[in-house]
């Protein structure tokens, strides 16, 4: 049962471009939305996170946009770099379920 | 400060066998969660242990079981292995019983292949 949908499945961006990954959820009990970055052979690492009472959060080149009414949120990576090439997972947290992850987006940034 | 470590790195088993995976949590963390990550998928929550007690469970059958030890390290045991159990098994630790804003620190995972 996929409670968090994520798109696209894969993304190719030129160096310096903007990468955008979108997620959607149904469960209104979710109250925390992190994004994780995973490199091959490594576990996921927290990148940035947002709570639903905030519409946008920015940390360096990474920005989360959150639309509570639409139950959607997205990750924007500005000035994408080859070192950003990884798989990105959105997630949502509901007490009792722990974290529910999206299926992931494989990002490739071309030099 | 040591990170989350897992052993073994890779494991090959045959259908019907039993397997034990191990996790050492990050120093100072008393809560450990286990996830199954199938190839090309996001991690799926198996269960969480807090101070040696199971503190939440995902949609996994009872043949997935766990333990947490007084030093907060943990084991994941899977009995009667099935082909679909082939996956990367991730362990994550947090400094306390998971609140939504606690950062989970993931280990590198154990790659289990069931033949």
């Amino acid at each position: 049962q996929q409670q968090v949908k994520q798109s696209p499945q894969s993304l190719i961006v030129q160096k310096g471009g903007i990468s955008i990954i979108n997620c959607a959820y149904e469960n209104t009990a979710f109250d925390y939305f992190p994004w994780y970055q995973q490199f091959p052979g490594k576990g996921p690492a927290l990148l940035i996170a947002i709570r639903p009472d905030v519409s946008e959060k920015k940390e360096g080149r990474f920005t989360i946009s959150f639309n509570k009414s639409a139950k959607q949120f997205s990750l924007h990576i500005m000035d994408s770099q080859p070192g950003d090439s990884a798989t990105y997972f959105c997630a949502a947290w509901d007490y009792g379920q722990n974290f529910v992850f999206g299926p992931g987006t494989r990002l490739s940034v071309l030099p | 400060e040591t990170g989350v470590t897992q052993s073994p790195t890779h494991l090959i088993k045959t259908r019907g066998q039993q397997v034990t995976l191990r996790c050492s949590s990050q120093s100072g963390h008393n809560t450990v969660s286990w996830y199954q990550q199938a190839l090309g998928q996001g991690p799926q929550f198996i269960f969480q242990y807090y101070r040696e007690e199971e503190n939440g469970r995902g949609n996994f059958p009872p043949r997935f079981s766990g333990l947490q030890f007084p030093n907060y390290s943990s084991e994941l045991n899977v009995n009667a292995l099935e082909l679909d159990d082939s996956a990367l098994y991730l362990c994550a630790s947090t400094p306390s019983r998971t609140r939504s804003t606690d950062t989970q620190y993931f280990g590198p995972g154990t790659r289990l292949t069931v033949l």
Side-chain angles (χ1 to χ4, degrees):
Chain A
Q1 181 183 3
Q2 190 183 74
Q3 298 190 52
V4 178
K5 297 180 180 180
Q6 184 172 347
S7 63
Q9 189 174 16
S10 63
L11 182 61
I12 299 175
V13 173
Q14 292 287 339
K15 179 182 175 181
I18 302 173
S19 304
I20 302 174
I21 304 170
N22 300 298
C23 283
Y25 64 97
E26 289 296 325
N27 186 351
T28 55
F30 289 146
D31 70 350
Y32 181 65
F33 301 87
W35 284 89
Y36 285 83
Q37 179 188 56
Q38 186 175 27
F39 293 104
K42 303 286 187 182
L46 179 65
L47 194 61
I48 186 172
I50 197 168
R51 302 205 74 134
D53 53 350
V54 176
S55 61
E56 185 175 282
K57 183 174 181 180
K58 183 176 181 180
E59 290 184 1
R61 297 185 294 110
F62 301 92
T63 299
I64 301 178
S65 297
F66 191 88
N67 185 330
K68 187 175 181 178
S69 61
K71 291 184 283 187
Q72 295 175 348
F73 58 111
S74 60
L75 175 70
H76 296 233
I77 306 174
M78 312 300 287
D79 187 27
S80 298
Q81 299 297 311
D84 297 331
S85 296
T87 300
Y88 292 81
F89 296 96
C90 61
W93 188 89
D94 170 32
Y95 188 84
Q97 290 197 61
N98 210 268
F99 286 93
V100 179
F101 285 78
T105 295
R106 180 172 290 186
L107 171 66
S108 297
V109 181
L110 303 179
Chain B
E1 183 179 84
T2 57
V4 178
T5 59
Q6 293 185 242
S7 63
T9 305
H10 297 89
L11 202 53
I12 299 174
K13 291 285 188 178
T14 56
R15 194 169 48 182
Q17 284 189 310
Q18 178 266 341
V19 69
T20 297
L21 310 181
R22 294 177 175 84
C23 170
S24 291
S25 60
Q26 185 155 321
S27 177
H29 289 189
N30 60 21
T31 302
V32 172
S33 299
W34 285 92
Y35 292 83
Q36 179 194 66
Q37 186 177 18
L39 198 62
Q41 299 296 319
Q44 279 197 295
F45 174 63
I46 302 175
F47 45 56
Q48 181 184 85
Y49 276 83
Y50 169 70
R51 292 189 174 180
E52 304 176 57
E53 296 286 332
E54 187 177 292
N55 179 46
R57 188 178 183 93
N59 189 25
F60 280 82
R63 59 189 186 85
F64 286 78
S65 63
L67 281 174
Q68 188 179 31
F69 300 99
N71 66 354
Y72 304 132
S73 66
S74 178
E75 287 183 353
L76 165 65
N77 300 290
V78 187
N79 294 321
L81 283 168
E82 301 177 0
L83 297 179
D84 285 349
D85 295 334
S86 295
L88 180 69
Y89 287 85
L90 295 163
C91 165
S93 74
T94 49
S96 63
R97 188 184 308 190
T98 301
R99 294 183 298 269
S100 61
T101 53
D102 281 345
T103 298
Q104 289 194 102
Y105 294 88
F106 283 87
T110 293
R111 173 72 63 188
L112 172 63
T113 301
V114 182
L115 302 177

